Amino acid sequence: MAKRIRQNTSNLAARGNSVSNSADKIRNMHATLKQASIKLESGDLDAAEKLTRRLLQQDQEYLGAMQVLGASLLKQGKFQQAADNFLKAASEAPDDWSNFLNLGTAWLGMEKLEMADMALREALRLNPESAHVLRLLGETAQDKRDYKTATTWLRAALEREPKNVLALYQLAHCYTHLGDLEEATKILLQVHRMKPDWLSVLNKLHKMRSDLIDIDYSAAIAKTSPQSKNDLANFDTMRRFLETEILDRAGEHERAWELLVEANKAVHKTKREALKKSEKTLSEQLEAAKAITLNKAGHVKNASKLAPLFILGPSRSGKTTLEASLSGHPAVQRGFETKKVGGAAARAWQIGGLPNIKSLHDLPAQLYGAFAKNFYGRLKQEDPQERFVTETNPALIGGAAQLAAALPDARFVFITRDRDDLAVRIFMTSYADGNPHAYDLGSIFEYIDWYEAMVDVLLDKLGDRAIHVRYEELVADPKAVTNKVFKLCGLDGAGLSVDPIGNDIGAALPYKSQLDAMRKQAG
């Protein structure tokens, strides 16, 4: 009996030690999580990631570690890993709105906009008052070029947080694209007063109507600073290009050109590899356009369906100006530079069991049906009168022949302008991404040559499904040009007024000697 009691006592002690060890382990893991959170807040993302990964090796379902790890991955821009992490966190805690918020943020970073929208709507369902979720829904709609929906989300966010500068900035961006420049300017001025050190705001303001703005831009630029460590390179580039614009507008053309050449040279160094790849792709696209056979007769479209009207031309050629003039017709919905074509192409590749290449000029003819079905599914008719939705993404020229083959009711307007004016305006633009040709004048003129060659090929292939207009014609007589487009679409433009448009003809004249010198040097 005594022996049994001693044995039971020993067992109880061992059990007590086990409980004590378990409690110590939990305390240590919690302390490590706190340490990881501190590292995250201080910006030591590498350390936060290592600590949380160590915790998850001990317990794969440690929700707090998943969430801190995911936040660290998001801040590092490791969006795919962050999405995988928060997807698991959401499955563990489906009632925690922050998991869906962060999952949506990760998908937004990967430009998986439909998935981002889905996750963010779930976050909003769980937390209807979150201004942050509403703002991100606005950003997602903005990235889809659905500017009307974006303004609704952003206005809702601002009802909850009236001084949310990022929501205000994004709202101004939406109003700019919707053509309400007065409202956009008003909001940007408000943001500038709140954040005078934000260079992006000044950059946008300088492109607005000058009669609504009273700013000494040179003095204002001196007060700006990078908004983060990642913003350093972009800040310097944007500042140089903005200073060039200011000098150009002030008539100080010699100094503007010197600064412009210097700014472009710095960016061009980083774009050389991308430029080589781009030149190869452009050559392949031109050959594919020449090889394709199309029906010139066009196609009688069903008036109950919404069809695409592609307005294609190089960047800064006047596409947006023409689109705005056409949008006054009740049968035309303004579509902007959407990603519908790229998304539908990617889905067609997937349906065909092929890698996700997205290149329209490589799309096999047997996948045209899958592409068209997905593309039309992405069009949203906002009004029963609408028959056409515009699309102005300049990169679509490379696959325009394939678009015409897959979408028989599509119509095409190609817009070009004076080569020197166009080259100077491209050279004066700092692009957020793409356009590797834009930072070297020789490459710019080669790109213009290629674009004009594509237009010639496509006009011959498309027959009465396409027309060519010049920016100079649009400036001289916007009514005549819009009527020409309406006729192409089988629409009646009689009785519609067209507002006067700005005039950028002759942009290259102050730089004629510099352009001539460049051409002479090139041989």
Side-chain angles (χ1 to χ4, degrees):
M1 184 75 173
K3 183 178 179 181
R4 194 180 304 154
I5 291 172
R6 283 197 300 275
Q7 186 177 354
N8 288 342
T9 303
S10 175
N11 288 342
L12 286 170
R15 210 173 299 152
N17 287 336
S18 175
V19 171
S20 176
N21 289 339
S22 178
D24 286 343
K25 180 182 177 182
I26 291 170
R27 277 193 295 271
N28 289 337
M29 289 179 73
H30 184 60
T32 302
L33 183 63
K34 277 189 170 180
Q35 186 183 359
S37 298
I38 292 169
K39 294 292 185 183
L40 177 67
E41 291 300 319
S42 68
D44 192 349
L45 306 179
D46 209 34
E49 181 179 346
K50 287 177 181 176
L51 287 168
T52 47
R53 287 195 184 280
R54 193 187 309 158
L55 287 171
L56 289 167
Q57 285 175 351
Q58 298 176 64
D59 182 353
Q60 293 180 1
E61 297 180 356
Y62 190 174
L63 182 62
M66 285 184 213
Q67 291 174 324
V68 174
L69 172 60
S72 172
L73 293 168
L74 269 183
K75 288 189 175 183
Q76 293 177 70
K78 298 177 180 178
F79 297 121
Q80 182 64 67
Q81 293 180 51
D84 294 343
N85 197 76
F86 280 116
L87 196 57
K88 186 176 180 182
S91 71
E92 293 292 332
D95 59 344
D96 186 343
W97 71 280
S98 68
N99 290 326
F100 292 99
L101 163 67
N102 289 314
L103 179 59
T105 304
W107 275 330
L108 184 57
M110 288 189 285
E111 296 188 357
K112 296 184 181 297
L113 303 179
E114 299 301 330
M115 298 302 293
D117 187 77
M118 189 186 306
L120 291 168
R121 284 175 186 270
E122 180 61 13
L124 186 66
R125 186 186 71 79
L126 294 166
N127 186 1
E129 294 305 310
S130 172
H132 187 44
V133 175
L134 287 163
R135 188 194 66 74
L136 284 175
L137 279 164
E139 184 176 333
T140 303
Q142 177 183 299
D143 284 359
K144 289 194 287 185
R145 310 302 196 264
D146 186 354
Y147 296 112
K148 290 180 182 177
T149 300
T151 58
T152 301
W153 288 123
L154 293 168
R155 284 291 185 193
L158 287 163
E159 284 176 9
R160 290 155 179 79
E161 289 185 5
K163 294 184 179 180
N164 187 318
V165 290
L166 193 50
L168 285 165
Y169 179 75
Q170 291 170 332
L171 185 62
H173 180 81
C174 292
Y175 278 124
T176 300
H177 283 280
L178 290 170
D180 192 344
L181 300 185
E182 190 168 344
E183 184 65 17
T185 302
K186 176 184 170 184
I187 296 170
L188 285 171
L189 287 170
Q190 181 184 351
V191 177
H192 177 60
R193 287 191 294 270
M194 296 165 70
K195 287 273 296 177
D197 63 334
W198 199 352
L199 182 63
S200 295
V201 179
L202 272 184
N203 191 43
K204 282 190 177 293
L205 277 169
H206 193 259
K207 294 171 175 57
M208 295 295 169
R209 284 174 45 188
S210 57
D211 61 310
L212 300 174
I213 302 167
D214 183 19
I215 291 178
D216 181 343
Y217 285 98
S218 296
I221 287 175
K223 297 176 182 177
T224 60
S225 60
Q227 299 300 297
S228 67
K229 289 180 181 178
N230 295 333
D231 189 37
L232 282 170
N234 290 335
F235 174 84
D236 187 53
T237 299
M238 186 185 294
R239 184 185 62 194
R240 289 183 179 189
F241 276 91
L242 178 54
E243 287 172 343
T244 296
E245 286 183 20
I246 293 167
L247 290 167
D248 176 69
R249 188 178 291 182
E252 298 181 37
H253 298 116
E254 189 171 336
R255 176 60 185 140
W257 189 260
E258 289 174 3
L259 189 60
L260 186 60
V261 169
E262 181 185 323
N264 276 285
K265 191 178 292 184
V267 181
H268 178 60
K269 288 178 183 178
T270 69
K271 300 284 184 179
R272 285 174 180 165
E273 286 304 312
L275 182 59
K276 286 180 185 177
K277 291 179 182 178
S278 173
E279 288 170 345
K280 182 175 182 293
T281 300
L282 296 183
S283 176
E284 291 171 353
Q285 289 174 344
L286 182 58
E287 292 309 309
K290 289 177 180 177
I292 200 167
T293 301
L294 296 173
N295 179 5
K296 290 186 180 183
H299 184 81
V300 178
K301 74 175 292 296
N302 184 340
S304 67
K305 292 181 180 179
L306 199 58
L309 171 60
F310 294 101
I311 304 172
L312 304 180
S315 167
R316 308 309 305 273
S317 60
K319 300 182 304 299
T320 303
T321 302
L322 176 57
E323 181 188 40
S325 298
L326 294 171
S327 64
H329 197 294
V332 177
Q333 177 192 136
R334 193 172 179 183
F336 308 99
E337 290 187 23
T338 69
K339 300 177 182 179
K340 293 184 180 72
V341 169
R347 189 69 187 113
W349 281 100
Q350 292 161 357
I351 290 169
L354 300 169
N356 189 8
I357 299 174
K358 296 185 183 179
S359 301
L360 270 173
H361 75 279
D362 286 330
L363 190 68
Q366 60 267 33
L367 293 181
Y368 285 174
F371 165 78
K373 182 179 179 181
N374 193 275
F375 175 78
Y376 284 123
R378 293 166 185 261
L379 298 184
K380 184 172 69 173
Q381 195 162 27
E382 298 177 351
D383 187 304
Q385 296 184 81
E386 291 168 348
R387 292 178 54 190
F388 285 89
V389 58
T390 58
E391 167 63 72
T392 60
N393 188 330
L396 294 180
I397 187 79
Q402 290 73 19
L403 282 173
L407 308 172
D409 56 357
R411 295 294 179 267
F412 296 82
V413 179
F414 302 111
I415 182 166
T416 58
R417 68 182 289 191
D418 178 85
R419 292 165 56 80
D420 283 0
D421 284 353
L422 179 58
V424 165
R425 285 303 182 227
I426 292 175
F427 200 51
M428 283 186 168
T429 303
S430 175
Y431 293 92
D433 52 35
N435 299 285
H437 58 274
Y439 305 97
D440 173 76
L441 278 167
S443 300
I444 291 172
F445 279 110
E446 287 175 7
Y447 178 76
I448 295 171
D449 288 340
W450 171 85
Y451 215 106
E452 291 178 346
M454 283 292 290
V455 169
D456 288 342
V457 169
L458 291 165
L459 285 169
D460 179 61
K461 298 274 185 182
L462 291 166
D464 63 4
R465 297 173 61 189
I467 58 171
H468 175 213
V469 301
R470 297 278 297 174
Y471 170 75
E472 292 78 12
E473 291 179 76
L474 180 61
V475 171
D477 194 344
K479 177 67 174 173
V481 171
T482 53
N483 278 339
K484 190 176 177 182
V485 178
F486 293 145
K487 183 179 178 181
L488 169 74
C489 299
L491 301 176
D492 183 7
L496 288 175
S497 61
V498 180
D499 293 334
I501 61 176
N503 184 352
D504 193 42
I505 296 172
L509 288 177
Y511 307 105
K512 186 179 183 306
S513 60
Q514 290 92 337
L515 289 171
D516 287 345
M518 183 274 296
R519 279 188 275 260
K520 185 176 180 181
Q521 187 177 3

